[in-house]
Amino acid sequence: QVQLVESGGGLVQAGGSLRLSCVASGTIFAINTMGWYRQAPGKQRELVATITGGGGANYADSMKGRFAIARGNAKNILYLQMNSMKPEDTAVYYCWARIPLRGDYWGQGTQVTVSS
């Protein structure tokens, strides 16, 4: 039984910043990899960034240099720092986790809207 809960979404002006958080709870002994995905209106869900238990990060090309993914000191916590935001960043952002011998889990999503 695993639950992922995102927070921190909202409305921000172009050029501004926003920080998202995700907390994993339930019967969890370890999480190998966590990440963020997003889905804009009328579009398919796409990768934003992933991070391994050892701290190695992978970003989609359009996010490199603007977004930063990190694990908290408690490794069931995930963050996404978003800077220099653009209207095209508007989407529902989803937290994702891969748990050994269990499978993949998704949060409910949090809305991020960037105004021009």
Side-chain angles (χ1 to χ4, degrees):
Q1 187 176 359
V2 177
Q3 185 177 22
L4 304 178
V5 180
E6 303 98 334
S7 62
L11 177 65
V12 64
Q13 291 186 335
S17 298
L18 207 60
R19 181 181 168 100
L20 305 182
S21 300
C22 172
V23 178
S25 62
T27 306
I28 305 171
F29 296 102
I31 302 175
N32 282 354
T33 304
M34 300 186 75
W36 293 95
Y37 291 73
R38 70 184 186 185
Q39 187 168 20
K43 298 183 179 180
Q44 293 184 325
R45 189 172 300 185
E46 66 175 345
L47 170 72
V48 175
T50 60
I51 185 167
T52 68
N58 181 55
Y59 298 90
D61 287 342
S62 63
M63 286 72 160
K64 292 179 180 177
R66 298 193 301 121
F67 292 6
I69 190 170
R71 301 282 286 271
N73 291 333
K75 293 186 177 180
N76 64 324
I77 301 177
L78 179 70
Y79 301 101
L80 181 69
Q81 179 67 47
M82 301 183 288
N83 300 317
S84 301
M85 298 190 72
K86 306 173 181 179
E88 49 263 46
D89 293 324
T90 295
V92 177
Y93 285 71
Y94 296 90
C95 180
W96 166 81
R98 175 160 291 171
I99 301 176
L101 306 180
R102 301 277 290 280
D104 296 338
Y105 295 85
W106 295 88
Q108 82 290 341
T110 184
Q111 177 69 49
V112 172
T113 302
V114 184
S115 64
S116 59

